[in-house]
Amino acid sequence: MSDRKLQLIATAPMGLEAVVARELKELGYDDARTENGRVTFTGGPADICRANLWLRTSDRVLVKMAEFPARTFDELFEGTKAVDWPDWIPADGEFPVEGRSHKSQLSSVPACQSIVKKAVVEKMKSAHGLEWFPEDGARFVIEVWLLNDIAMLTLDTTGPSLHKRGYRRLVTEAPLKETMAAAMVLLSRWHPERPLYDPFCGSATIPIEAAMIGWNIAPGLRRSFNGERWPIVPEALWEAAREEAFDAVKDDIPLSIAGSDLDPKAIEVAEAAVRKAGFAKEIKLSVLPAAKAKPEDDYGCIVTNPPYGERLGDDAEAEKAIRQLGLAALYLPTWSFFALSPSKSVEHYFGRPADKKRKLFNGRIECALYQFFGPLPPIRREEQPVR
């Protein structure tokens, strides 16, 4: 089974499919294909481990078990029963079924879940010689997706979403997910030779994700996954993937990362998260309004998620935050700015159109990542090409 090729799926928040695909390609998966809300790629059991440990912007890693037409409950039952579930799920495995349906004749999700569960049980009965399953072992979450009368069955290798890195115990109001924070840093094309600053840092998610990217720390190193208890993915594969990830860490790279927030309580939460993540010396935090933020050095990146009314319920405060950000830009002419906001006033307060705008969703809120590019750092003498 270790050599078996599997169809794997990295689920992606809306708008981040291309970022997830780029991550997969950088990990060596050249066949990554982008679809709505997911990126498919080919791998073996070892790649279940690698993808879970390394993906920064995906929500979870699934195994695609089957795909077939399902216009009737009989078709759904027979298609599900044809899958080799006992190859994956042991006799004591827990196998709940989740589902969703869109533009399909089988529109009752609870009914579809019940049919899939019944079909899996029937398959398991014949393979394991049992009439009843205790379901007190490892967890195998089956999901049935119905779209345009096509059923797709998957197994979730991840468990709790990949944004749960393990360094954040407390959260501020309306926290930014770690996956979105990482995506913002990756889309800024920031690299650790440049300073990075977040003037609305909240619980410091953007600075922490930037530090993890700067030091090449796999975001899943601090947590566990459902697939770690699966017989089909041996413990040795997880150990090898973690060893590879530890060996890849580059913690000798100097970082210039800082953040500030007007709320002292937010900074307390942020400091706890920074300590937990292991960056107490690398990330500087302070209590400051954005208008008074004075990042050190030149040619840096401001990457931030200013507060806005839909998240925190105060439109006037949201406008004030964007105004302060635009004001800060006047005093930082060599810096590049990347701000995630649903507000249409961002470009007005910056006094120029964004060089790029990318539609993203912060939770259910439609936003744009406004990208204002500053000048590139001058090439240092030692970096100049040999003529």
Side-chain angles (χ1 to χ4, degrees):
M1 182 68 190
S2 60
D3 298 328
R4 179 174 170 181
K5 287 301 172 190
L6 307 169
Q7 197 75 69
L8 301 174
I9 298 169
T11 64
M14 202 180 305
L16 292 185
E17 293 92 344
V19 183
V20 173
R22 192 173 93 202
E23 282 199 84
L24 284 164
K25 284 174 181 173
E26 287 173 356
L27 287 170
Y29 302 103
D30 295 327
D31 68 337
R33 290 192 322 279
T34 304
E35 301 171 19
N36 277 341
R38 63 175 73 106
V39 183
T40 62
F41 62 107
T42 306
D47 300 297
I48 290 174
C49 312
R50 290 189 74 237
N52 273 300
L53 283 171
W54 279 103
L55 286 175
R56 300 181 191 279
T57 59
S58 172
D59 285 327
R60 49 185 22 99
V61 179
L62 312 174
V63 181
K64 182 177 175 180
M65 302 298 289
E67 191 169 29
F68 51 88
R71 295 176 186 83
T72 67
F73 287 132
D74 279 347
E75 287 180 334
L76 181 60
F77 181 88
E78 294 302 331
T80 302
K81 192 178 175 187
V83 178
D84 290 327
W85 299 106
D87 284 358
W88 291 81
I89 306 173
D92 66 345
E94 179 190 2
F95 49 103
V97 179
E98 297 177 356
R100 62 185 74 177
S101 178
H102 186 60
K103 295 182 180 176
S104 293
Q105 292 181 52
L106 298 179
S107 57
S108 169
V109 173
C112 292
Q113 289 171 261
S114 178
I115 292 292
V116 168
K117 180 78 173 188
K118 185 178 177 183
V120 176
V121 168
E122 287 304 309
K123 185 76 172 199
M124 297 275 284
K125 278 182 181 179
S126 58
H128 293 299
L130 296 172
E131 285 297 311
W132 177 81
F133 296 93
E135 296 201 48
D136 56 4
R139 188 171 169 85
F140 299 79
V141 179
I142 299 167
E143 184 153 18
V144 52
W145 312 57
L146 286 150
L147 176 63
N148 296 322
D149 295 323
I150 300 294
M152 182 169 69
L153 298 169
T154 62
L155 275 176
D156 176 14
T157 74
T158 300
S161 172
L162 288 173
H163 81 269
K164 297 188 175 179
R165 316 283 206 222
Y167 61 73
R168 193 163 70 172
R169 291 284 178 262
L170 302 168
V171 294
T172 54
E173 272 188 285
L176 186 71
K177 276 189 178 179
E178 293 85 338
T179 41
M180 181 60 75
M184 290 170 66
V185 175
L186 291 172
L187 287 167
S188 78
R189 300 296 176 113
W190 169 83
H191 53 80
E193 289 76 26
R194 299 177 73 176
L196 181 141
Y197 193 92
D198 180 358
F200 302 101
C201 73
S203 51
T205 310
I206 290 172
I208 291 170
E209 291 297 317
M212 291 174 73
I213 290 166
W215 277 3
N216 199 41
I217 295 173
L221 268 177
R222 296 173 176 270
R223 55 161 290 167
S224 59
F225 306 94
N226 276 0
E228 286 184 75
R229 297 182 62 203
W230 293 7
I232 210 161
V233 190
E235 188 179 340
L237 293 182
W238 289 99
E239 288 174 359
R242 281 201 162 85
E243 193 172 327
E244 176 196 32
F246 277 118
D247 289 345
V249 173
K250 300 173 182 174
D251 57 3
D252 56 344
I253 294 175
L255 299 174
S256 176
I257 298 175
S260 56
D261 201 283
L262 187 59
D263 182 0
K265 289 182 180 176
I267 293 298
E268 278 183 34
V269 171
E271 286 173 340
V274 164
R275 284 194 300 273
K276 180 79 175 167
F279 295 113
K281 293 179 181 176
E282 285 71 32
I283 297 175
K284 297 175 184 174
L285 298 171
S286 51
V287 179
L288 271 180
K292 292 188 178 179
K294 290 187 171 54
E296 296 175 6
D297 302 320
D298 294 318
Y299 304 102
C301 293
I302 298 278
V303 183
T304 193
N305 178 218
Y308 33 88
E310 288 174 83
R311 288 196 307 151
L312 301 175
D314 191 333
D315 289 324
E317 281 300 305
E319 288 297 303
K320 181 181 174 185
I322 293 166
R323 196 163 60 245
Q324 287 185 332
L325 193 61
L327 195 61
L330 293 175
Y331 298 98
L332 297 166
T334 67
W335 282 60
S336 297
F337 284 71
F338 303 86
L340 183 69
S341 176
S343 172
K344 309 298 182 191
S345 305
V346 174
E347 291 166 303
H348 168 72
Y349 286 119
F350 269 78
R352 64 183 174 105
D355 295 293
K356 263 190 178 181
K357 280 191 287 189
R358 188 184 189 114
K359 186 164 84 169
L360 296 174
F361 284 81
N362 187 9
R364 295 183 180 275
I365 302 171
E366 184 178 323
C367 299
L369 179 62
Y370 292 88
Q371 304 175 55
F372 300 90
F373 303 138
L376 289 172
I379 298 174
R380 295 194 298 266
R381 187 175 297 276
E382 63 268 24
E383 292 176 345
Q384 290 177 353
V386 178
R387 296 187 184 276

